[in-house]
Amino acid sequence: MLELTALCGMVVATCAAAIPELRCTLVFTLLYVLYHSIYLVGQTFLHFQWDILLLEAGVIAVIAAPFAPSMTTQSSHIGKRSMAAKNLLKCC
């Protein structure tokens, strides 16, 4: 089951990287949930600082991503959500 979760995450991430329409909050939330479940199952093997950094980057991606897939092609998406993500990046 863990291999299926990792494979599903790899396929979704590759599709999101290749297809700009898939870069939305729903996809990044799915990727975050998949990686977080692997992180929880891995217990002591995944309790390193870079794993927590990946989880924090996932939260920032969910916040900064547009809600709808049609909004990814518009440049007017820079607003309060992007500013919040930039502020989170400054805090890290």
Side-chain angles (χ1 to χ4, degrees), residues 29-84:
T29 304
L30 174 66
L31 288 171
Y32 177 80
V33 168
L34 288 173
Y35 187 74
H36 193 260
S37 65
I38 291 173
Y39 176 78
L40 291 176
V41 170
Q43 295 180 356
T44 58
F45 295 107
L46 291 175
H47 284 284
F48 296 107
Q49 190 167 356
W50 56 79
D51 295 311
I52 296 169
L53 180 66
L54 282 173
L55 290 171
E56 291 172 356
V59 170
I60 291 173
V62 169
I63 291 172
F67 284 120
S70 63
M71 294 174 60
T72 58
T73 57
Q74 299 173 356
S75 62
S76 65
H77 145 49
I78 300 173
K80 292 181 182 178
R81 292 165 55 94
S82 294
M83 293 303 293

